[in-house]
């Protein structure tokens, strides 16, 4: 009797005309909705991967500066005491020695000077007076031309120095070492 009541109740809710909806395939969009969901998931993953790689590139740029600032700072301190730059009076850099090293005739002196340092870290040395009247740029000629001009990552460190312009005049200045990133770093 319970089964008969159940069947009678089922007949009220499910009429013969209602079953045609289940067999009508014109309104079904099932396969296309899967493609749309898959496309949205792929686009989301690509955007996530792009953001993640951008964050990593930013971290890598910052890590180069953090890892190599100490090296540039130590190198600047060492160069401030280098005999090639020293004046006859102790504790000062000689403007004439800097002119010789940075000039076109100082190629041999520059090669000897940079030979004492590792070629794995290309760097240049910039020395300028505090008032900006004098400036010397000493760069190695062992790297390819244009290496220091491009968009290479770099880190710089400076130390204060005293520059002897002549035996009667000395001025304060800075010695800056600019260390460049090489492709293998």
């Amino acid at each position: 009797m319970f089964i008969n009541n159940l069947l009678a109740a089922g007949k009220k809710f499910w009429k013969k005309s209602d079953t045609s909806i289940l067999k009508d395939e014109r309104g079904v969009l099932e396969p296309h909705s899967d493609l749309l969901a898959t496309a949205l998931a792929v686009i989301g993953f690509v955007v996530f991967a792009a953001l993640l790689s951008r964050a990593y590139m930013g971290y890598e740029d910052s890590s180069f500066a953090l890892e190599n600032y100490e090296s540039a700072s130590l190198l600047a301190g060492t160069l401030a005491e280098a005999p090639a730059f020293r004046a006859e009076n102790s504790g000062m850099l000689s403007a004439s020695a800097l002119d010789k090293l940075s000039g076109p005739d100082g190629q041999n002196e520059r090669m000897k000077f940079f030979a004492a340092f590792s070629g794995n870290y290309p760097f240049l040395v910039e020395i300028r007076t505090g008032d900006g009247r004098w400036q010397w740029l000493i760069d190695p000629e062992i790297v390819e031309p244009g290496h220091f001009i491009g968009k290479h990552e770099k880190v710089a460190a400076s130390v204060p120095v005293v520059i002897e312009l002549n035996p009667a005049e000395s001025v304060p200045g800075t010695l800056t070492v600019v260390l460049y990133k090489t492709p293998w770093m």
Side-chain angles (χ1 to χ4, degrees), residues 20-182:
S20 65
I21 292 176
L22 298 175
K23 293 182 180 179
D24 186 13
E25 294 183 5
R26 289 179 291 166
V28 176
L29 296 174
E30 190 86 22
H32 299 293
S33 64
D34 287 346
L35 289 176
L36 181 62
T38 303
L40 287 175
V42 168
I43 289 170
F45 179 73
V46 168
V47 169
F48 175 73
L51 290 174
L52 192 62
S53 68
R54 189 78 168 142
Y56 178 74
M57 297 280 278
Y59 168 75
E60 185 179 330
D61 292 345
S62 298
S63 68
F64 170 76
L66 289 174
E67 290 172 1
N68 292 296
Y69 176 75
E70 185 176 349
S71 298
S73 179
L74 289 172
L75 187 58
T78 302
L79 292 178
E81 300 295 325
F85 296 158
R86 303 308 277 167
E88 290 182 18
N89 297 333
S90 64
M92 289 191 222
L93 303 184
S94 169
S96 61
L98 295 173
D99 285 338
K100 188 175 182 182
L101 273 170
S102 64
D105 297 334
Q107 182 177 6
N108 289 335
E109 286 80 11
R110 279 192 301 274
M111 287 181 67
K112 289 176 188 175
F113 175 74
F114 283 106
F117 301 99
S118 171
N120 291 334
Y121 291 102
F123 67 94
L124 59 88
V125 181
E126 182 180 349
I127 303 165
R128 66 178 58 210
T129 58
D131 59 5
R133 286 184 24 213
W134 299 94
Q135 178 178 345
W136 297 271
L137 183 66
I138 304 167
D139 59 340
E141 296 176 3
I142 54 175
V143 294
E144 62 273 358
H147 179 81
F148 295 123
I149 298 172
K151 292 186 175 182
H152 295 283
E153 294 177 48
K154 56 189 169 197
V155 62
S158 298
V159 294
V161 293
V162 177
I163 303 165
E164 181 185 79
L165 298 176
N166 57 46
E169 183 182 9
S170 60
V171 294
T174 58
L175 182 144
T176 304
V177 171
V178 182
L179 190 67
Y180 287 83
K181 184 176 183 181
T182 58

Side-chain angles (χ1 to χ4, degrees), residues 3-23:
I3 294 176
N4 289 336
N5 289 338
L6 190 58
L7 288 175
K11 286 182 184 178
K12 288 182 187 175
F13 293 115
W14 295 99
K15 297 180 182 173
K16 183 129 179 121
S17 63
D18 291 340
T19 59
S20 65
I21 292 176
L22 298 175
K23 293 182 180 179

